[in-house]
Amino acid sequence: MEQYVMKGGTPLTGTVNISGAKNAALALLAAAIMTDDTVTIENLPDVRDVKVMLTAIEEIGGKVEYLDKHTVKINGSSISALSVDYEYIKKIRASYYLLGALLGKYKKAEVALPGGCAIGSRPIDLHIKGFKALGASVDIGYGLISAQAQSLVGTHIYLDKVSVGATINILMAAALAEGKTTIENAAKEPHVVDVANFLNSMGANIRGAGTDVIRVQGVEKLHGTVYSVIPDQIEAGTFMCAAAATHGDVLVKNVIPKHLEATTAKLLEAGCEIIEYDDAVRVCAKDIELSPTQVTTLPYPGFPTDMQPQMAVVLALASGTSTVTESIFENRFKYVDELARMGANMKVESNIAIITGVEHFTGARVSAPDLRAGAALVIAGLAADGVTTVDDIHFIQRGYEDFEEKLRGIGAAIEKVDSDHDLQKFILKVS
Ligand code: UD1
């Protein structure tokens, strides 16, 4: 079993380069099969979720060719099956993007029904509502969700709740529908905009992505393109919080600073100095006392739920009481008990964590409950006195490329180990 082991207490300093956005990449890969031409996607993050999505595409007959670690060529002309197996949905929920992509292109698709996941129950009623509004019949049974239509016809869709997944899935189906579709109360996340830009580069006609109302004029077919994935705002935010929690000074490069504004605002409130450049942000927390603040997760441009655990770690080291309110997913505080084992003082009441800052954490053995919470525990370990081991790091590897290498590049004493022998060797080395 692989673990991260680290010795905390060293302020992180230096430069870290951010990879392409996992969540954008997953949607782009699904959308790439919507043409019979070849599509080249660059700046793909080298993470597990991306590999699972590529395998799912190959499984239904698509051709996938890696040109290098971060560039892939996809050809969807040989798709032979319109059914995506539970094996993929179980590993990454985002394989349900293949539903919108296949339905748009072939007017028929079947995907294993996603269940709940580590962070909440995660219904897909809004995706279904959108497909139905476009004229598809949607059936759920035997663990599958099946959608088909004679033809998809543009329509007016109001999303009762802002949903990234539903917006993207509907966007893909609507791109190849007849006539005009309007999606109201659409998600505005950077990766929604990236998917719209990508589809437009394939010949789609989508306007308004990044606002509440997206207008799609359906086209008959899409063509090939070469496209580069946007930088990962959550990976960037994670390193920003790592700099803050360890009182370091880190230049986070290859980012779009605008996408990081909510995280930047909260770190400023916590007392960090932040300098924005065209494609980088520098977070400096050297010799400062971290201040408490209030955080509420909200759809973009609000504070991202995917940054909630990492920011909570920073606030758990601030002098005073902070609150973190989780308004998107109901089960996102599972890391709190693990953090308490490292000395944090946090209490969860309903969807609010009340955090009383402590001077320092103490190293412990903890387990990653999910992807982002796992990253947060690593940050805590890097800020803690002594040695911390983090178990279940397969969650972290789903979404962070070369996490430990990037952290080592900014001075962290961290290693990935897969035996007790290696763990003891690390402990001997650092003690
Ligand atoms: C995406 C991200 C995830 C992030 C989340 C919120 C990907 C692959 N994942 O997840 O990392 O945490 O956005 O920014 O991009 N909802 C419904 N019905 C639906 C769909 C959603 O009620 O049909 C609810 C959800 O339970 C949740 C809220 O809407 O409370 C937002 O979920 P959504 O934006 O859809 O999240 P995902 O797209 O699954």
Side-chain angles (χ1 to χ4, degrees):
M1 184 188 62
E2 287 186 330
Q3 296 168 303
Y4 283 139
V5 56
M6 66 212 78
K7 177 155 190 300
T10 309
L12 299 180
T13 50
T15 300
V16 63
N17 280 304
I18 296 306
S19 300
K22 170 191 80 94
N23 286 347
L26 295 175
L28 262 51
L29 291 172
I33 62 148
M34 293 176 69
T35 171
D36 282 346
D37 296 346
T38 297
V39 168
T40 304
I41 303 181
E42 301 167 341
N43 200 34
L44 268 188
D46 184 28
V47 295
R48 277 200 189 159
D49 277 11
V50 162
K51 288 181 184 136
V52 175
M53 179 61 100
L54 287 168
T55 314
I57 288 172
E58 282 180 320
E59 191 67 27
I60 57 171
K63 292 215 168 62
V64 172
E65 187 194 341
Y66 262 103
L67 299 184
D68 60 48
K69 195 175 164 193
H70 298 115
T71 312
V72 77
K73 254 164 92 167
I74 294 181
N75 188 289
S77 62
S78 51
I79 300 263
S80 51
L82 303 181
S83 180
V84 181
D85 205 73
Y86 180 59
E87 197 189 325
Y88 302 103
I89 291 286
K90 195 173 64 177
K91 288 186 185 144
I92 48 162
R93 292 176 56 80
S95 12
Y96 62 29
Y97 285 141
L98 288 166
L99 194 58
L102 291 170
L103 181 65
K105 188 178 180 195
Y106 299 104
K107 314 299 174 229
K108 187 170 167 24
E110 195 173 79
V111 167
L113 197 60
C117 80
I119 58 172
S121 66
R122 306 187 79 172
I124 55 160
D125 55 310
L126 297 170
H127 304 234
I128 295 171
K129 175 178 163 173
F131 295 145
K132 282 187 173 164
L134 286 166
S137 62
V138 182
D139 292 310
I140 292 182
Y142 303 98
L144 298 172
I145 162 164
S146 319
Q148 56 183 315
Q150 283 296 333
S151 59
L152 295 172
V153 181
T155 185
H156 189 271
I157 298 166
Y158 173 81
L159 295 177
D160 306 276
K161 204 167 178 181
V162 178
S163 161
V164 172
T167 303
I168 291 177
N169 239 337
I170 295 166
L171 202 53
M172 291 197 283
L176 289 173
E178 289 165 20
K180 188 171 159 187
T181 299
T182 308
I183 308 172
E184 275 198 70
N185 201 26
K188 298 183 283 223
E189 267 70 2
H191 48 298
V192 172
V193 180
D194 209 33
V195 175
N197 289 340
F198 175 67
L199 287 168
N200 282 343
S201 79
M202 293 168 75
N205 184 349
I206 300 167
R207 299 283 168 264
T211 74
D212 293 329
V213 184
I214 302 181
R215 295 189 167 82
V216 187
Q217 180 65 49
V219 296
E220 238 172 65
K221 57 188 231 171
L222 299 171
H223 54 70
T225 186
V226 178
Y227 194 88
S228 186
V229 182
I230 52 166
D232 197 313
Q233 52 149 342
I234 306 300
E235 188 198 11
T238 301
F239 280 98
M240 291 168 75
C241 286
T246 61
H247 292 277
D249 184 353
V250 175
L251 183 69
V252 182
K253 268 185 81 169
N254 183 29
V255 299
I256 299 172
K258 176 141 189 54
H259 294 170
L260 301 170
E261 270 172 3
T263 302
T264 299
K266 288 297 151 185
L267 288 177
L268 280 171
E269 284 171 28
C272 300
E273 190 191 338
I274 301 201
I275 305 166
E276 284 185 3
Y277 302 92
D278 284 349
D279 67 347
V281 288
R282 179 176 161 195
V283 179
C284 183
K286 275 200 177 320
D287 307 320
I288 63 156
E289 190 170 87
L290 290 165
S291 307
T293 188
Q294 270 68 49
V295 177
T296 300
T297 63
L298 285 170
Y300 188 84
F303 190 86
T305 172
D306 285 358
M307 280 302 304
Q308 183 258 99
Q310 303 90 311
M311 183 58 78
V313 166
V314 175
L315 297 179
L317 291 165
S319 55
T321 301
S322 301
T323 57
V324 172
T325 305
E326 173 57 58
S327 72
I328 312 279
F329 294 115
E330 71 272 19
N331 211 358
R332 262 211 132 147
F333 285 126
K334 282 201 287 190
Y335 64 93
V336 167
D337 290 341
E338 297 297 287
L339 213 51
R341 301 186 57 246
M342 300 178 70
N345 185 352
M346 291 174 78
K347 182 168 78 176
V348 178
E349 280 174 13
S350 176
N351 65 334
I352 303 176
I354 299 147
I355 307 172
T356 306
V358 294
E359 251 175 53
H360 54 81
F361 299 142
T362 47
R365 182 170 176 180
V366 291
S367 293
D370 61 62
L371 166 61
R372 306 303 173 186
L377 290 172
V378 171
I379 297 175
L382 295 174
D385 287 349
V387 172
T388 293
T389 50
V390 179
D391 290 358
D392 291 335
I393 63 168
H394 56 94
F395 282 117
I396 302 173
Q397 290 163 339
R398 288 184 48 189
Y400 289 90
E401 176 173 339
D402 297 336
F403 196 39
E404 72 281 9
E405 278 170 41
K406 289 189 186 189
L407 285 166
R408 272 200 300 272
I410 48 176
I414 180 169
E415 256 170 47
K416 183 167 66 188
V417 294
D418 64 2
S419 68
D420 199 46
H421 173 76
D422 288 346
L423 177 67
Q424 296 309 330
K425 225 167 88 184
F426 176 87
I427 294 172
L428 258 179
K429 195 171 85 185
V430 296
S431 53

